[in-house]
Amino acid sequence: MRLGKTSAFAHPSFFFRHAGLEFMKFFVDTAEVAEIRALAELCMVDGVTTNPSLIAKSGRDMKQVIAEICAITPGPVSAEVTATDATGMLAEGRFLRAIAPNVAVKVPLTEAGLIACRTLAAEGALVNVTLCFSAAQALLAAKAGAAFISPFVGRLDDIATDGMRLIADIVQIYRNYPTLRTEVLVASIRHPIHLVESAKLGAHVATLPPAVIRQLLKHPLTDKGLEAFLADWKKTGQSIL
Ligand code: E4P
């Protein structure tokens, strides 16, 4: 069966869902719309995460950027609140949700963030609790009804603490409660090994900077091997079509 590039069925998550299998989701960690569009063509975008620093880096209006990203992918697009009190977070979260149905409201792992998470989740919002640096914090986010918990592996590695250890702990804890709906979204990924280790541990989602997605694809032996195959093929004088 030949699948058109634009067909919804062409997306790998279609096959995994319908085969009854769950595969790791790849989110893209950027607010650069052009990058997301290019990666969506590769079927590498199951969702997107942004944060205030990424929005600042894009130099664009946040609401506009989030609306554009939501139109590219049907997957969850995390848009982060910037209020620090629960009332302000709730107001911002409700506003962000109104931009598009696939907005996931991102709140920090603070007391106010957990209160906002509980209320927004009860209203039916997908909530991504971010800036998680301990398994204890991940327990609280699950208790507050978060759809995603975002542990930051790279930032832990930066302070000489094993980021992957935290992923192992959270995955192990959440697995003990099969009805728990909170997904482990590995964030602050700096290189492909973070992704591979996360997949080995069974994390549900990894959010990847575009540069890391490109790194996943590349291997010098692939390039070298292809070059040799094509050179040998040329010598045969044949053509397939
Ligand atoms: C994603 O949700 C996070 O905001 C992001 O992965 C943080 O990455 P950084 O530590 O490289 O800034």
Side-chain angles (χ1 to χ4, degrees):
M1 179 175 47
R2 200 148 184 148
L3 293 165
K5 207 157 127 193
T6 53
S7 163
F9 304 114
H11 196 279
S13 64
F14 172 87
F15 296 105
F16 290 115
R17 264 202 320 274
H18 291 268
L21 298 170
E22 273 288 329
F23 187 49
M24 185 184 222
K25 283 169 276 199
F26 284 10
F27 289 2
V28 189
D29 197 26
T30 185
E32 299 299 332
V33 174
E35 296 263 33
I36 296 165
R37 209 166 264 129
L39 291 166
E41 283 279 297
L42 265 178
C43 290
M44 288 294 163
V45 185
D46 298 315
V48 173
T49 51
T50 67
N51 63 37
S53 304
L54 292 170
I55 296 286
K57 196 170 156 207
S58 78
R60 298 195 52 209
D61 175 73
M62 182 211 193
K63 297 155 212 161
Q64 184 65 38
V65 169
I66 297 295
E68 285 177 28
I69 298 172
C70 287
I72 298 171
T73 174
V77 175
S78 290
E80 189 160 341
V81 300
T82 53
T84 52
D85 63 303
T87 309
M89 287 182 191
L90 278 173
E92 289 183 359
R94 288 173 183 141
F95 180 90
L96 293 168
R97 278 191 78 198
I99 295 177
N102 54 328
V103 165
V105 180
K106 209 174 183 193
V107 299
L109 214 157
T110 59
E111 197 174 316
L114 293 176
I115 294 168
C117 174
R118 160 67 58 214
T119 307
L120 288 165
E123 290 172 7
L126 288 178
V127 184
N128 176 356
V129 178
T130 189
L131 290 167
C132 171
F133 294 96
S134 76
Q137 289 181 316
L139 283 171
L140 296 181
K143 202 82 182 153
F148 303 105
I149 179 68
S150 290
F152 279 37
V153 290
R155 292 193 195 188
L156 279 172
D157 290 353
D158 290 346
I159 59 159
T161 303
D162 185 357
M164 293 318 304
R165 182 71 249 163
L166 174 59
I167 304 304
D169 287 347
I170 301 173
V171 168
Q172 184 190 347
I173 292 167
Y174 281 13
R175 253 200 212 122
N176 288 337
Y177 305 95
T179 56
L180 182 67
R181 287 284 153 259
T182 309
E183 297 195 350
V184 179
L185 191 171
V186 184
S188 189
I189 285 184
R190 301 279 162 76
H191 47 69
I193 295 169
H194 276 149
L195 173 71
V196 172
E197 291 300 319
S198 300
K200 279 159 101 175
L201 291 166
H204 307 89
V205 192
T207 189
L208 302 153
V212 173
I213 296 184
R214 278 184 225 104
Q215 275 181 292
L216 300 176
L217 189 71
K218 284 304 234 180
H219 197 288
L221 290 180
T222 304
D223 296 340
K224 199 175 160 202
L226 182 60
E227 209 177 294
F229 285 156
L230 293 180
D232 289 340
W233 177 246
K234 204 171 173 187
K235 285 181 220 154
T236 70
Q238 298 181 49
S239 72
I240 292 175
L241 293 177

